[in-house]
Amino acid sequence: MKYPESFDVIVVGGGHAGVEAALASARSGASTLLLTHNIETIGQMSCNPAIGGIGKGHLVKEIDALGGVMARAADRAGIHFRMLNRRKGPAVRATRAQADRVLYKAAIRGFVENEPNLKLFQQAVDDLLMDGDRVAGVRTQMGLEFAANAVVLTVGTFLDGLIHIGESQHRGGRAGDPPAIALAQRLREMPFRVSRLKTGTPPRIDARSIDFSMLETQPGDEPRPVFSLRGSHDDHPRQMVCHITHTNVQTHELIMEGLDRSPMYSGVIEGVGPRYCPSIEDKIVRFAGKESHQIFIEPEGLTSNEVYPNGISTSLPFDVQYAFVRSIKGFENAFITRPGYAIEYDFFDPRDLRNTLETRFVPGLFFAGQINGTTGYEEAAAQGLLAGINAALQVQGKESWSPARDEAYIGVMVDDLITQGTLEPYRMFTSRAEHRLLLREDNADLRLTETGRRLGLVGDEQWALFNAKREAVEQELSRLHDTWLHPARLSDAELAALPGAEPTREYRLEELLRRPDMTYDALMSVAAAGPPVTDPVVAEQVEIQVKYSGYIARQREEIAKLQGQEKTALPDTIDYADVVGLSHEVRQKLTEHRPETIGQASRIPGVTPAALSLLMVHLKKIASRKQKKSA
Amino acid sequence: MNAPADTIAAVATPRGRGGVGIVRVSGPLVESIAKAMLGTCPAPRYASYQRFLDAAGEPLDEGIALFFPGPHSFTGEDVLELQGHGGPVLMDMLLSRCLELGARPAHPGEFSERAFLNDKLDLTQAEAIADLIDSGSEQAARSALRSLQGDFSRVIDSILDDLVGLRMYVEAALDFPEEEIDFLADGESLSRLDALLDQLQEVFRKAAQGTLLREGLHLVIAGQPNAGKSSLLNQLAGREAAIVTDIAGTTRDVLKEQIQLDGMPVHVIDTAGLRNSEDPVEREGIRRAWAEIERADLVLLLIDDETGFVAADQQILDQLPARLPVIRVYNKIDRTGHEPGVTDDTVYLSAKSGIGIDALRAKLEAAVGYEAGTEGLFTARRRHLRALEETLQALQRARRQLVDYQAGELMAEELRQAQAQLGQITGRFTSDDLLGEIFSSFCIGK
Ligand SMILES: Cc1cc2nc3c(=O)[nH]c(=O)nc-3n(C[C@H](O)[C@H](O)[C@H](O)COP(=O)(O)OP(=O)(O)OC[C@H]3O[C@@H](n4cnc5c(N)ncnc54)[C@H](O)[C@@H]3O)c2cc1C
Ligand SMILES: Nc1nc2c(ncn2[C@@H]2O[C@H](COP(=O)(O)OP(=O)(O)OP(=O)(O)O)[C@@H](O)[C@H]2O)c(=O)[nH]1
Ligand SMILES: [Mg+2]
């Protein structure tokens, strides 16, 4: 049957990408349908119960600034918060939280159900409906047809998903969920470049069978960070501690003995796994010299006895898992509640996408999340948001939006994906961002909220909070700039307490704060420098901006120089064979990657500055010819 | 289309015109560069005689300055032209001053490229510009390669590898704080950085002295044994640098003499006579001769005029690299009675008596002048020195960030800049896969 109502946008998949996609689309005014296998698993964390981390926390804050829900759900579900790299510079500081799975899913479900423009429907999608080249909707397993102007696919690890535990295999989307086989077949018939990736997860253990008394504890950090601008400590549930243990020589021996029955090493698994998230068998083979590996024992939730032993992801046979787990300190009597496994799945070469995550071959069809070759909830959610908003913008006839590399980690990720493609599951790291000093967690809101507001993603409450913060920061910055402090106005005690060399002449407060050892609080301990701002978030922001100002200015200059390249579009119709002077190799690369701008072309390995010049000359030539014709 | 936001500079002296040289600058910094080098910005489009000043305000040279404000200029941007007296060496100093003031060396064909992009050239010239960029970048690559011979390029490559290695440690510390390693705190990063700084300072010192960076043109004298190659070297050098005998196969090793032509240093290289030989020493000499020819800018093919151009000479000619300009020199005209003289690609002279040497010298001077629109050797050298200097400064700032402020992320930023600068020398721009290096070196990940 044809479903009588039609939608602007259909989002397929209720994972992290799907949720943000559906919410962004709906919030910006498009009537949206979220179609997923199972409404109960919306917002489910397939693997470790944690949100954030280096690079990932940055993404979560950006999603928050753009009106997304991941940060708010993490605040409501977080049972153990940390600020990683707290002692290193602000640009690399990142928030991470262990999340209670149940609370997380419940929070997400709440957001999804309370979104007026969004409807949910439970069914597997088997097919796409087409109208010529363009996507026109989807068909479900039972033959139900839903019409829509745009479709966002966020089907995660489910496409032709194959689960491995030792020598046994079965089809599945993740443990306990069915795979998407019909849809995978249908997509393989289309012109997309498809390959396989692999990821894995550790066995889970019943906490009651672990001897924690022998293990190092890891409490959350104080002061405890908060994810969302709209969040607070009041959102946080009761906090728990994590523990740390280690593998040992005996563990490694047991694993080596079972290696011949590992699907990774017997060649059964063809998909490529992430190098930064290796299975324990991988770590032991590749770094044979290391006698011990760290394991973080993370609680799965307040109401669950299960723990997640982070660091021993494996697809070894269950008997080997059982034995090696029990060789680890504290796990001597461990009861495994779920075996570890690896999963292989289809993903699409992201070089076939535009920077809006619309596919190049099928107008109106967007891909987001794990199917684009990424891994991680945050990476998926960020892409979902971008795809969702662009699907909605397209349907509404509005101009698309995609952040630049210097604006957001989302921009870095999408640009990396579409210009370089990926050979292994792509995870965000701060070292991927050349403008890392500009892209901080602390200024994600300042970078993106205004855009979010313009796109209709940011509600009144968030907007008001944001403006209050922004104004307070600006006011304090100009106060520090305009206020001069003469050393004569400082008491001897104040002078003595001030860090660094004693000021010998009158300085702007800003100049004093820029001194290496100075902090905002230290400066404000001088009565004549006050009154200080009371909100620590504002004070922190002011301090960072002042301290980083030299580097920020330099990065901005660098960016300004490249603006021309980033803004110069390379038309879809360009035939690189016509560009005079390009070498054969460069021609081939450009034809394969089809960059959308000169800037993107510049990041394709092997494309030289001379080649870019040749492209610029070629573009100008085309443009002048056109002008002549029309004149 | 947006005009590029940076300012470019290059020496633009017409080929073979010794005596006058032009440094051309284009872009937004032109006015400030003019003010710094001339004291004031000259009136638009009005030739004025000026002193060109160095950083200390001392005159480097004097000559004519011309200022063309955009858009009414060749490139459509603000353009400054400084016409000096100096030969290439002075031109190089003027260029280097412009670079100090914020310009960067222009890529080959870049002035024309900007002119075209700013509607200053018409469509029919597009192909010509593409050719210029294409062939120019090839030439630049070649002159960079020449300037990067041997030790220098090996040293730079190894420093670059060490720098990537250091970055790997720093980035690992920043991106993987939960691992059991902290290379920022444990001194590993600092000791690596210090080792790098030492190496780089050494290289910079040598490069600035010119002992590592080759400068000047490489002129190789090649030909059959006894053609008179060593005699010609002695004649050009003005001293008995090489042994001359009437035994064929006298010269075994490569011999270099530096001479000045039009103020430009030129290395004249004498080589073993080229023939089939069974003698292992001579064979090695011949192998070295070919190696020099590979790196030459220009070859003088010496022919014994008494025998004339024979099949053996043709064989040598055929084996010379196709790109290489060759001048055929017929020697021993004191014996044959040929008139001394010069045509497009031949010279008649006597190396022994010196007849015709002046004509050869004049011909060489014409050949070593800057070639308009392409990157000369000096520009390449200048670029490299500049890049080394900036690398060094970035590394010093990196050290301060690490030691004084424990600011790993700022140290990392300086290292990134350093790598970008150093990479310009060898053309290894691509972001070496840092993450890949991290994952293959450390056991990382949960
Ligand atoms: C075993 C395993 C281990 C992992 N390990 C890690 C790790 O160590 N670190 C890490 O960062 N990430 C890990 N991940 C990845 C992380 O779970 C994903 O990156 C993230 O969940 C991807 O989000 P997504 O929205 O793209 O897809 P998913 O979260 O997979 O969601 C897909 C959604 O689509 C629905 N769906 C699929 N097909 C259809 C269909 N045909 N019709 C309707 N609905 C459909 C599904 O029901 C599901 O709701 C792991 C995942 C798995 C399965
Ligand atoms: N008359 C005359 N004799 C010359 C002239 N040039 C070189 N000779 C003689 O030719 C002989 C060989 O000269 P070299 O300069 O040693 O020749 P070469 O090419 O270096 O020879 P190899 O090193 O053996 O390859 C010597 O006896 C020279 O004196 C010339 O112009 N006139
Ligand atoms: Mg000789």
Side-chain angles (χ1 to χ4, degrees):
Chain A
M1 119 180 214
K2 275 200 174 58
Y3 195 82
E5 187 184 350
S6 81
F7 295 88
D8 289 335
V9 175
I10 289 177
V11 176
V12 182
H16 308 277
V19 164
E20 298 289 358
L23 287 169
S25 165
R27 288 187 73 84
S28 75
S31 70
T32 307
L33 177 68
L34 175 61
L35 252 167
T36 187
H37 275 142
N38 183 348
I39 289 178
E40 303 311 325
T41 61
I42 287 178
Q44 174 151 321
M45 305 176 120
S46 322
C47 187
N48 64 326
I51 298 287
I54 309 281
K56 290 171 172 268
H58 293 75
L59 286 170
V60 177
K61 298 254 174 177
E62 290 177 0
I63 294 167
D64 190 52
L66 291 167
V69 296
M70 180 167 255
R72 283 201 290 161
D75 277 330
R76 293 182 195 184
I79 52 177
H80 181 271
F81 283 83
R82 295 195 55 204
M83 177 61 87
L84 305 176
N85 275 343
R86 186 189 286 278
R87 316 187 78 89
K88 296 187 185 124
V92 291
R93 274 177 214 153
T95 314
R96 181 178 195 272
Q98 288 309 132
D100 177 307
R101 276 178 198 289
V102 179
L103 292 178
Y104 188 86
K105 209 158 74 173
I108 293 287
R109 179 79 174 267
F111 292 125
V112 171
E113 290 200 353
N114 286 311
E115 190 57 50
N117 262 334
L118 177 59
K119 295 204 167 79
L120 307 180
F121 196 89
Q122 173 167 318
Q123 264 287 292
V125 168
D126 277 3
D127 201 357
L128 295 174
L129 305 177
M130 301 294 290
D131 177 6
D133 286 349
R134 224 193 130 77
V135 74
V138 299
R139 181 184 295 114
T140 72
Q141 203 171 22
M142 57 181 255
L144 199 52
E145 293 186 353
F146 288 94
N149 294 319
V151 172
V152 185
L153 278 192
T154 67
V155 292
T157 50
F158 286 62
L159 289 175
D160 216 1
L162 184 61
I163 289 177
H164 301 261
I165 305 177
E167 287 157 318
S168 89
Q169 298 144 29
H170 65 275
R171 307 220 156 252
R174 68 186 159 208
D177 283 313
I181 290 173
L183 184 61
Q185 249 153 23
R186 171 74 168 114
L187 289 165
R188 275 181 176 261
E189 286 160 14
M190 297 176 118
F192 303 110
R193 293 175 272 189
V194 190
S195 343
R196 302 283 277 175
L197 288 175
K198 169 236 141 183
T199 186
T201 195
R204 308 303 148 82
I205 301 174
D206 188 327
R208 292 169 300 180
S209 67
I210 299 177
D211 183 357
F212 288 105
S213 69
M214 305 172 64
L215 303 179
E216 186 186 331
T217 49
Q218 187 191 41
D221 282 343
E222 285 302 333
R224 193 191 325 143
V226 175
F227 261 119
S228 173
L229 179 70
R230 286 164 285 174
S232 77
H233 287 161
D234 298 342
D235 295 329
H236 295 178
R238 177 164 68 80
Q239 298 296 293
M240 295 182 77
V241 293
C242 295
H243 291 83
I244 297 177
T245 183
H246 293 89
T247 61
N248 53 46
V249 177
Q250 197 201 342
T251 319
H252 298 188
E253 274 166 13
L254 289 165
I255 290 170
M256 289 306 284
E257 278 164 28
L259 217 54
D260 56 331
R261 286 184 292 140
S262 141
M264 286 280 300
Y265 286 89
S266 59
V268 176
I269 293 186
E270 37 179 279
V272 184
R275 282 176 300 175
Y276 36 82
C277 202
S279 60
I280 186 68
E281 49 268 35
D282 231 7
K283 291 195 229 180
I284 284 162
V285 171
R286 285 181 43 222
F287 297 91
K290 220 171 164 214
E291 291 189 348
S292 165
H293 295 274
Q294 188 169 241
I295 303 170
F296 292 91
I297 305 170
E298 303 170 345
E300 294 245 338
L302 295 170
T303 53
S304 162
N305 283 322
E306 283 185 301
V307 300
Y308 182 96
N310 200 342
I312 50 169
S313 161
T314 183
S315 55
L316 285 165
F318 184 74
D319 58 299
V320 183
Q321 295 186 22
Y322 181 88
F324 89 69
V325 164
R326 288 188 160 220
S327 74
I328 295 168
K329 188 164 139 193
F331 292 174
E332 291 81 359
N333 299 306
F335 184 81
I336 293 178
T337 53
R338 307 173 199 223
Y341 67 91
I343 180 165
E344 278 185 291
Y345 53 92
D346 282 3
F347 85 104
F348 301 102
D349 187 333
R351 291 176 302 176
D352 293 334
L353 300 172
R354 299 181 190 284
N355 67 356
T356 54
L357 300 182
E358 185 179 16
T359 60
R360 284 174 189 264
F361 303 123
V362 183
L365 179 64
F366 294 73
F367 286 170
Q370 194 107 358
I371 59 169
N372 290 338
T374 63
T375 172
Y377 310 136
E378 303 80 355
E379 287 83 351
Q383 290 172 65
L385 190 142
L386 187 67
I389 185 63
N390 277 299
L393 288 170
Q394 186 182 77
V395 167
Q396 295 166 16
K398 294 183 189 158
E399 205 187 317
S400 68
W401 175 75
S402 186
R405 293 184 72 90
D406 55 70
E407 261 180 289
Y409 272 95
I410 304 178
V412 173
M413 171 170 62
V414 169
D415 186 70
D416 279 350
L417 290 171
I418 67 174
T419 62
Q420 324 277 338
T422 188
L423 297 173
E424 67 178 325
Y426 178 102
R427 180 215 193 270
M428 186 45 78
F429 293 105
T430 69
S431 52
R432 296 195 192 272
E434 63 277 35
H435 306 298
R436 172 163 62 193
L437 301 180
L438 299 178
L439 304 183
R440 307 184 305 272
E441 266 200 3
D442 66 75
N443 71 352
D445 51 357
L446 296 170
R447 291 184 273 122
L448 294 168
T449 311
E450 194 152 336
T451 305
R453 179 73 176 175
R454 178 172 60 77
L455 297 172
L457 298 172
V458 168
D460 293 340
E461 181 208 344
Q462 185 182 358
W463 183 236
L465 268 172
F466 166 73
N467 276 313
K469 175 181 165 188
R470 181 166 63 177
E471 273 158 36
V473 170
E474 277 166 11
Q475 262 176 24
E476 182 62 358
L477 280 172
S478 54
R479 187 182 79 85
L480 297 183
H481 179 79
D482 295 340
T483 311
W484 293 79
L485 188 65
H486 196 283
R489 291 172 60 203
L490 271 68
S491 72
D492 287 348
E494 283 177 336
L495 266 180
L498 217 53
E502 216 168 81
T504 49
R505 61 171 175 86
E506 195 176 35
Y507 282 104
R508 293 176 190 275
L509 290 178
E510 177 192 78
E511 292 170 296
L512 291 171
L513 182 54
R514 200 171 296 139
R515 292 174 158 213
D517 311 315
M518 191 67 75
T519 64
Y520 184 83
D521 288 345
L523 185 60
M524 290 306 142
S525 68
V526 173
V533 294
T534 47
D535 184 346
V537 173
V538 174
E540 181 200 30
Q541 187 53 224
V542 167
E543 180 174 311
I544 294 171
Q545 286 197 22
V546 170
K547 294 253 176 214
Y548 265 22
S549 57
Y551 281 94
I552 290 174
R554 197 165 88 183
Q555 293 213 326
R556 292 230 173 278
E557 221 171 88
E558 213 172 90
I559 292 161
K561 278 189 191 158
L562 297 174
Q563 267 304 304
Q565 291 194 350
E566 296 301 334
K567 295 248 154 79
T568 307
L570 285 165
D572 267 351
T573 51
I574 199 164
D575 182 351
Y576 291 102
D578 293 346
V579 183
V580 182
L582 286 183
S583 75
H584 179 67
E585 188 207 342
V586 169
R587 214 165 256 167
Q588 214 175 11
K589 288 248 159 86
L590 290 169
T591 308
E592 196 181 308
H593 285 75
R594 303 214 66 87
E596 292 172 289
T597 62
I598 295 271
Q600 286 180 13
S602 74
R603 288 185 287 277
I604 298 171
V607 175
T608 59
L612 299 178
S613 288
L614 293 170
L615 283 177
M616 295 286 283
V617 169
H618 182 77
L619 287 179
K620 178 77 186 179
K621 202 166 82 182
I622 304 178
S624 325
R625 280 221 189 98
K626 264 196 201 135
Q627 231 168 18
K628 238 187 222 164
K629 260 188 209 150
S630 63
Chain B
M1 207 166 292
N2 280 340
D6 51 2
T7 301
I8 55 175
V11 177
T13 306
R15 187 189 170 100
R17 280 284 292 111
V20 182
I22 301 175
V23 171
R24 185 182 280 153
V25 193
S26 176
L29 291 179
V30 154
E31 276 203 53
S32 74
I33 291 176
K35 278 190 192 131
M37 285 185 76
L38 308 170
T40 76
C41 188
R45 282 177 300 285
Y46 188 83
S48 61
Y49 201 74
Q50 305 261 6
R51 290 171 153 195
F52 307 150
L53 309 175
D54 69 10
E58 297 296 322
L60 284 166
D61 191 9
E62 42 193 53
I64 294 178
L66 273 160
F67 172 56
F68 305 92
H72 305 294
S73 69
F74 168 60
T75 59
E77 306 169 344
D78 286 359
V79 169
L80 179 69
E81 282 190 12
L82 304 174
Q83 307 185 358
H85 294 112
V89 180
L90 262 171
M91 287 294 104
D92 179 48
M93 290 166 77
L94 289 183
L95 173 64
S96 141
R97 180 77 185 115
C98 295
L99 302 185
E100 249 170 60
L101 292 166
R104 68 160 170 80
H107 299 304
E110 200 170 8
F111 286 96
S112 306
E113 180 191 338
R114 290 193 177 188
F116 180 68
L117 296 179
N118 289 325
D119 293 317
K120 290 287 158 178
L121 297 177
D122 79 56
L123 198 52
T124 56
Q125 283 160 302
E127 297 315 68
I129 293 164
D131 275 353
L132 196 61
I133 293 171
D134 186 31
S135 65
S137 73
E138 228 171 77
Q139 284 196 29
R142 229 185 296 132
S143 69
L145 204 72
R146 283 202 307 263
S147 157
L148 277 176
Q149 281 308 319
D151 286 355
F152 185 68
S153 89
R154 236 177 297 125
V155 171
I156 295 293
D157 266 341
S158 110
I159 293 183
L160 202 51
D161 287 343
D162 290 355
L163 179 52
V164 171
L166 171 58
R167 288 194 66 200
M168 175 184 81
Y169 277 89
V170 173
E171 294 296 342
L174 296 175
D175 264 339
F176 304 96
E178 291 188 287
E179 300 299 323
E180 297 149 297
I181 40 171
D182 187 350
F183 304 115
L184 288 173
D186 71 4
E188 178 73 35
S189 298
L190 181 60
S191 62
R192 284 174 173 256
L193 177 58
D194 280 340
L196 255 179
L197 269 166
D198 282 351
Q199 279 186 63
L200 204 67
Q201 256 150 355
E202 176 73 8
V203 171
F204 184 66
R205 201 174 48 74
K206 285 194 185 161
Q209 288 170 352
T211 45
L212 270 181
L213 273 173
R214 284 175 31 150
E215 35 183 321
L217 218 80
H218 276 210
L219 181 65
V220 170
I221 309 177
Q224 293 193 62
N226 262 347
K229 299 181 294 298
S230 301
S231 305
L232 183 59
L233 174 80
N234 291 346
Q235 190 61 250
L236 285 169
R239 66 186 197 100
E240 298 299 307
I243 302 170
V244 170
T245 73
D246 58 2
I247 303 166
T250 304
T251 308
R252 296 294 178 90
D253 220 337
V254 166
L255 237 97
K256 297 186 189 180
E257 279 292 298
Q258 188 177 328
I259 63 167
Q260 296 276 323
L261 281 176
D262 193 19
M264 171 99 160
V266 173
H267 301 275
V268 184
I269 299 155
D270 180 24
T271 57
L274 303 172
R275 65 169 169 185
N276 293 324
S277 168
E278 294 300 316
D279 177 29
V281 181
E282 188 175 0
R283 284 170 69 127
E284 174 60 18
I286 292 170
R287 194 193 60 76
R288 291 183 187 199
W290 281 112
E292 285 302 323
I293 291 169
E294 277 302 315
R295 286 182 251 174
D297 299 299
L298 181 66
V299 166
L300 298 182
L301 177 61
L302 224 60
I303 299 147
D304 189 338
D305 199 32
E306 284 188 301
T307 61
F309 189 83
V310 296
D313 295 312
Q314 183 64 47
Q315 255 182 26
I316 297 174
L317 192 64
D318 290 342
Q319 284 184 57
L320 294 176
R323 57 159 180 96
L324 201 58
V326 178
I327 300 176
R328 296 189 205 188
V329 179
Y330 289 87
N331 186 28
K332 310 190 186 178
I333 57 167
D334 57 318
R335 292 260 190 99
T336 59
H338 246 120
E339 286 296 305
V342 173
T343 68
D344 254 4
D345 60 354
T346 63
V347 178
Y348 283 86
L349 52 70
S350 166
K352 194 169 181 182
S353 71
I355 318 169
I357 289 291
D358 285 346
L360 173 66
R361 236 186 259 276
K363 187 164 176 61
L364 289 177
E365 276 180 17
V368 303
Y370 284 112
E371 297 172 28
T374 64
E375 183 176 53
L377 215 51
F378 265 100
T379 316
R381 179 169 179 274
R382 179 52 52 206
R383 266 202 307 124
H384 297 156
L385 280 177
R386 177 111 202 116
L388 278 178
E389 202 174 330
E390 304 229 336
T391 309
L392 199 56
Q393 286 169 3
L395 289 184
Q396 280 157 346
R397 288 192 301 264
R399 191 174 197 284
R400 221 171 308 136
Q401 293 299 351
L402 175 65
V403 175
D404 297 352
Y405 313 133
Q406 291 83 48
E409 87 287 21
L410 298 182
M411 176 195 192
E413 168 67 11
E414 297 293 1
L415 295 181
R416 182 179 74 85
Q417 298 279 355
Q419 190 186 341
Q421 288 296 339
L422 206 56
Q424 281 185 6
I425 297 184
T426 55
R428 263 169 67 187
F429 291 108
T430 40
S431 64
D432 292 66
D433 179 16
L434 264 186
L435 284 165
E437 306 250 342
I438 293 176
F439 302 137
S440 52
S441 308
F442 310 120
C443 181
I444 262 171
K446 295 189 281 191

